Amino acid sequence: MITNADVVAAAERLAGLVRRTPVAVVEPGGLSGAGWLKCEYMQHTGTFKARGALNRVLAAQAAGELDPQVGVVGASGGNAGLAFAYAASRCGVPATVFVPQTSSPVKVARLRQLGATVVQQGAEYAVAHEAALKHAADRGAVYCHAYDQPEMVAGAGTIGLELLADLPEGFDTVLVAVGGGGLMAGIATALAGRARVVAVEPVNAPSLHAALAAGGPVDVPVSGAAVDSLGARRVGEIAYQVAVANGVASVLVTDDELIEARRLLWADRRIAVEHGAAAALAALTSGAYRPAPGERVVVLACGANTDPSDL
Ligand SMILES: Cc1ncc(COP(=O)(O)O)c(C=O)c1O
């Protein structure tokens, strides 16, 4: 578990280093009852992951654990990998990112652009993950986990603190997309006792839903349009514990529903987000989550690393 104090410490560490992303007001009747959009897709690297990654690397540096020659290591062919590379370069240390051999050449090129050493290993994520852990143990690199590490979760939680400060009129609910659950756990911790978080997952990648039903994290099969961002096979331990402690429910949306929500954001607002980031809005537009009359709802739009040509 993490505490509110961890999120506050992350906010202090990140002050001036991450973007305070804007909150857009949705006019009454717009976007199926959303009151506001938190525009986190405007964050460095295009997603919220930059917050947690930078928090992780800065905390390791402050603790004297960051060897400037060896730097950091992580496994991810997606947004977390970009964030690790970005955070390392901001701190002036090298990053090694292990990705499966199946990773898209575009993502590998983007990682290299951000200065990371990319090692393609194994057919699946699990193999890259093992290789990253071994690299950390052998070389003494600071290991960064994509979602199940206190600093990653607390960094993401700073979004919740910004909402509390930027919406002094108050709000009731925040809809948050879940992959491994780090984003949800951070925001739920930041907002505990102030507002509720509702987790939104694709039907094809229901890691939190399955964990809540089973009484603990379990492996689930993952596939679908948002698999590159929400396709964690197993929800994090931290996320599971925070969800249970705070009564976070998970609602499910289909691929068609999140694809439609992504198109709506473009058609209606000229906002281009990736499929995973459209899941939160899809909960409203599909009716998977129905706010009570008068309920004030924030929708988190958390990532923009997408090919907009199909919008
Ligand atoms: C755009 C986007 N949204 C949501 C998520 C889910 O975050 P988490 O794995 O912390 O649940 C991710 C994860 O990579 C992401 O890239």
Side-chain angles (χ1 to χ4, degrees):
M1 285 278 278
I2 64 157
T3 64
N4 193 274
D6 296 316
V7 184
V8 171
E12 283 164 7
R13 220 175 266 129
L14 296 175
L17 298 174
V18 296
R19 296 181 181 140
R20 188 182 191 96
T21 51
V23 182
V25 177
V26 178
E27 63 283 2
L31 296 181
S32 302
W36 302 271
L37 285 175
K38 170 71 166 163
C39 299
E40 183 65 11
Y41 62 90
M42 296 169 82
Q43 189 52 261
H44 294 294
T45 75
T47 76
F48 68 96
K49 291 278 181 191
R51 295 178 187 254
L54 208 44
N55 189 42
R56 168 77 179 138
V57 181
L58 289 169
Q61 197 169 42
E65 292 162 5
L66 184 64
D67 179 338
Q69 305 302 320
V70 182
V72 308
V73 63
S76 158
N79 289 329
L82 297 178
F84 303 151
Y86 174 78
S89 80
R90 283 289 292 261
C91 296
V93 301
T96 305
V97 181
F98 286 82
V99 303
Q101 275 151 351
T102 47
S103 277
S104 86
V106 176
K107 285 191 174 147
V108 171
R110 182 86 186 101
L111 282 169
R112 292 203 168 113
Q113 256 173 22
L114 284 167
T117 299
V118 182
V119 185
Q120 291 184 267
Q121 197 147 333
E124 346 182 332
Y125 171 77
V127 179
H129 180 241
E130 284 307 314
L133 285 175
K134 184 166 178 338
H135 178 97
D138 291 350
R139 309 274 178 91
V142 168
Y143 177 70
C144 300
H145 193 284
Y147 52 83
D148 201 17
Q149 210 162 41
E151 297 88 347
M152 283 300 283
V153 176
T158 59
I159 293 171
L161 298 185
E162 287 178 16
L163 286 172
L164 289 173
D166 293 347
L167 295 176
E169 64 271 51
F171 55 95
D172 302 303
T173 306
V174 186
L175 298 177
V176 180
V178 166
L183 177 62
M184 170 280 294
I187 297 177
T189 303
L191 298 181
R194 312 283 291 275
R196 98 173 59 88
V197 166
V198 173
V200 187
E201 302 183 272
V203 172
N204 295 329
S207 61
L208 178 61
H209 213 266
L212 292 173
V218 287
D219 281 349
V220 292
V222 294
S223 63
V227 75
D228 62 334
S229 58
L230 306 187
R233 283 184 189 282
R234 181 182 273 245
V235 81
E237 287 289 342
I238 299 174
Y240 175 73
Q241 286 171 19
V242 169
V244 171
N246 292 281
V248 175
S250 154
V251 300
L252 300 177
V253 295
T254 65
D255 267 12
D256 284 351
E257 288 162 353
L258 63 86
I259 288 167
E260 190 48 41
R262 177 171 170 269
R263 290 217 177 99
L264 177 67
L265 277 173
W266 176 249
D268 208 54
R269 313 271 142 169
R270 287 294 180 261
I271 292 175
V273 297
E274 58 193 274
H275 289 93
L281 178 61
L284 286 180
T285 51
S286 67
Y289 183 72
R290 291 185 196 279
E295 185 175 336
R296 298 161 302 171
V297 179
V298 179
V299 171
L300 180 61
C302 52
N305 289 325
T306 194
D307 174 357
S309 63
D310 60 351
L311 281 170

